[in-house]
Amino acid sequence: MDFLWEGLREAVRLVASGDAHVFHAVWVSLLCTLLSVSLASLVAIPYGAWLGLYRPRGARPQVFLLRVGMALPTVILGLLVYALLSRRGLLGGLDLLYTKAAIIAGEILLAFPLLATLAHGATAALDREVVETPLTLGAGRVRAMLRALGEVRTAIAAAYLAAFGRCHTELGIAITVGGNLRMRTRTLPSTIQLELSRGDFAGALAPGILLVLLACGAAVVTYRLAREDRR
Amino acid sequence: MPRGLLLILALWAGCGGGADPARVRLATTTSTEDSGLLQWLLPPFEEATGIEVQVGPAGTGQALALGERGDADLVLVHARDREDAFVAAGHGTERRDVMWNDFVLLGPPDDPAGVRGTTDAALALRRIADARRPFVSRGDDSGTHIKERALWARTGGAPAGAPHYLDAGQGMGACLVLADEKRAYVLADRGTFLSYRRRLDLAVLVEGDPALRNPYGAIPVDPARHPGVRAAEARRLLEWLTSREGQARIAAFRVDGNALFHPAHGVG
């Protein structure tokens, strides 16, 4: 147990000393995660809710594809973005490989099907009246959808949290298209991976502790935003 | 018992346990694994002795850390100072030369920093830094990273923090791909480069500097320090690696017709 205990103490010391590299990794992780989740959700949540509430023609195959996308391993998404951004790839001229933008692109692909599927699931289970009542009262479909989303805000908050969790613990994309470059694209999970490969257990634990703290922070924020405390 | 539970138990049993066959845990560097040397070298040993070799490829730093924790039985790495320190600290019983290979400085074939043909690797690094051309550093405390740092130290230090110094913190293969994508310079062991060569647009620009030689040593982890260590099996593997047969096998290893590793005891 000494091994774990000493590692923990050293890790806490590292966090407390404000190690610049670790905190830069926090910044990269947070920036990429927040941007990709919020950008993806702008489209994914209304899209999933639309499929769930109005069941348009062709909704079933779309839901199926979203579910496949949700189950894809992140390394596959990393490969996909890599193929696009590589010097020999379609968008190679943009020189975006090994930048934060590349990580964000990959994480959008990761978050989108997850958010859309969960939004679909939450709204499809709703009573039809939730949208039909406002529609008969003359509200537009978008307005009715927003109302329905308000009804299932707890599930939507959970969807955000799930997307946040998947993106900020993400390693396949961060390494494949981020390149794990120090003080540039190194995230908390890729720091853990690197410190372990250097045989520095405490160095791996310190970013691990910060990841847990971020997860707690995200849980509190989504809880607040969904106003679950005021029920 | 429900059938599902039985299935789970059967899978669990398949994961390990049962009779304990003879095996030895070899902690070694990514270069020996990525180049294909181990897949060539180890099967004859396993066949002759019935000892299964479990290979954990890692950076030199992690390989030595595995040994220090008693999570490996034999360490095969390339960082002489760290190896000696490992033995001096009592983690290993002895260190033996096994083989050597060499590093090469790679870069874009059009060589924008103009280092091609330089015989002094440190001078070449200086030129790359002065020309502000990107250089990919392993940055993972691996043997290659230690060699990089030693070369930079001879020429006034690495331009760490500069935008053209890319600290990747990844294995050799990943760094080669990164250098290829970024049209950057990179220090690599010749073996890994040769096995990646066809997929990369990188050329050997500097080679042959004695400072680029890279000796590999094997160290059995001390069973007095770590009682769980399989000392007998580790000893047999070490003896085999340094035997005439093992050394000849190392010398005979080829990638695309190129010899990568040179036996330390000169039988090849």
Side-chain angles (χ1 to χ4, degrees):
Chain A
M1 270 336 262
D2 275 5
F3 172 58
L4 182 61
W5 184 237
E6 268 171 39
L8 263 176
R9 266 208 322 225
E10 175 64 15
V12 169
R13 199 192 58 73
L14 263 178
V15 172
S17 69
D19 184 83
H21 299 132
V22 174
F23 280 89
H24 192 271
V26 172
W27 156 242
V28 175
S29 280
L30 261 184
L31 178 79
C32 292
T33 305
L34 291 180
L35 267 179
S36 48
V37 172
S38 43
L39 286 175
S41 71
L42 280 182
V43 182
I45 299 277
Y47 173 50
W50 194 273
L51 291 180
L53 292 170
Y54 301 124
R55 291 166 206 181
R57 193 188 273 276
R60 272 169 167 233
Q62 289 177 58
V63 171
F64 175 75
L65 280 180
L66 286 174
R67 289 195 179 152
V68 171
M70 187 167 114
L72 276 185
T74 60
V75 280
I76 299 290
L77 297 174
L79 277 181
L80 196 70
V81 180
Y82 178 82
L84 281 176
L85 297 185
S86 163
R87 199 150 61 81
R88 303 167 182 85
L90 258 180
L91 305 175
L94 298 178
D95 202 21
L96 280 179
L97 195 61
Y98 309 124
T99 61
K100 291 182 202 72
I103 300 182
I104 292 168
E107 290 186 350
I108 286 179
L109 290 184
L110 178 65
F112 188 94
L114 181 73
L115 288 164
T117 308
L118 293 180
H120 168 262
T123 50
L126 270 180
D127 200 326
R128 301 293 301 155
E129 278 174 27
V130 176
V131 283
E132 267 158 24
T133 311
L135 284 179
T136 50
L137 291 176
R141 290 185 128 198
V142 172
R143 217 194 161 86
M145 180 184 77
L146 290 178
R147 224 199 113 209
L149 278 173
E151 290 289 319
V152 294
R153 61 174 184 268
T154 307
I156 299 300
Y160 269 99
L161 196 54
F164 180 88
R166 257 206 116 179
C167 288
H168 96 302
T169 57
E170 198 292 320
L171 189 61
I173 294 169
I175 289 205
T176 318
V177 303
N180 193 29
L181 299 177
R182 193 166 77 127
M183 297 299 267
R184 252 168 280 183
T185 58
R186 189 163 296 168
T187 64
L188 283 173
S190 64
T191 307
I192 295 180
Q193 155 104 350
L194 170 64
E195 294 303 337
L196 265 186
S197 82
R198 289 158 79 149
D200 184 352
F201 181 66
L205 216 50
I209 290 173
L210 290 170
L211 265 180
V212 173
L213 288 180
L214 282 185
C216 295
V220 170
V221 168
T222 46
Y223 183 80
R224 284 276 162 127
L225 284 182
R227 290 183 301 186
E228 286 173 67
D229 46 348
R230 278 182 234 163
R231 278 213 157 161
Chain B
M1 204 176 336
R3 229 184 250 173
L5 193 57
L6 270 178
L7 181 66
I8 291 171
L9 283 178
L11 286 173
W12 178 254
C15 290
D20 204 9
R23 57 192 174 88
V24 57
R25 296 165 301 174
L26 175 65
T28 184
T29 62
T30 45
S31 50
T32 54
E33 175 80 2
D34 288 353
S35 63
L37 173 72
L38 292 180
Q39 293 95 306
W40 159 263
L41 186 59
L42 295 177
F45 169 78
E46 292 183 314
E47 212 156 283
T49 60
I51 299 173
E52 180 199 349
V53 184
Q54 297 177 328
V55 180
T60 291
Q62 190 184 17
L64 288 171
L66 285 171
E68 277 168 20
R69 295 204 290 265
D71 290 333
D73 307 314
L74 185 70
V75 182
L76 176 65
V77 292
H78 55 96
R80 192 57 204 263
D81 297 348
R82 308 265 297 253
E83 292 164 34
D84 292 341
F86 182 86
V87 174
H91 295 295
T93 48
E94 61 169 318
R95 180 204 173 276
R96 272 202 222 168
D97 282 320
V98 174
M99 59 192 180
W100 60 272
N101 67 351
D102 65 341
F103 290 108
V104 288
L105 183 65
L106 307 169
D110 60 345
D111 187 20
V115 299
R116 192 190 299 271
T118 315
T119 49
D120 182 341
L123 183 69
L125 288 183
R126 186 78 265 144
R127 279 201 202 147
I128 293 165
D130 290 346
R132 301 190 168 280
R133 291 290 165 182
F135 175 83
V136 175
S137 166
R138 283 284 295 274
D140 60 353
D141 274 355
S142 60
T144 311
H145 185 209
I146 291 165
K147 176 64 81 180
E148 269 172 35
R149 284 198 299 226
L151 289 173
W152 279 115
R154 285 177 30 199
T155 177
H164 50 272
Y165 185 80
L166 307 173
D167 188 339
Q170 293 191 68
M172 195 70 257
C175 285
L176 288 176
V177 173
L178 221 149
D180 176 48
E181 288 286 352
K182 286 289 180 196
R183 297 181 41 77
Y185 290 83
V186 62
L187 187 73
D189 66 278
R190 189 186 295 270
T192 312
F193 167 63
L194 284 174
S195 50
Y196 277 72
R197 176 177 57 177
R198 269 166 302 166
R199 282 163 273 159
L200 302 173
D201 193 19
L202 290 171
V204 174
L205 299 173
V206 178
E207 60 186 326
D209 181 342
L212 292 174
R213 259 199 187 204
N214 181 32
Y216 283 71
I219 308 171
V221 176
D222 192 347
R225 186 78 164 249
H226 302 287
V229 159
R230 292 159 194 274
E233 287 90 345
R235 166 72 42 194
R236 284 188 75 180
L237 178 55
L238 176 66
E239 295 294 346
W240 188 83
L241 286 173
T242 51
S243 71
R244 277 192 78 83
E245 190 192 350
Q247 293 279 296
R249 186 99 184 143
I250 290 170
F253 177 62
R254 291 285 184 280
V255 171
D256 294 343
N258 296 286
L260 291 188
F261 293 93
H262 309 278
H265 301 290
V267 288

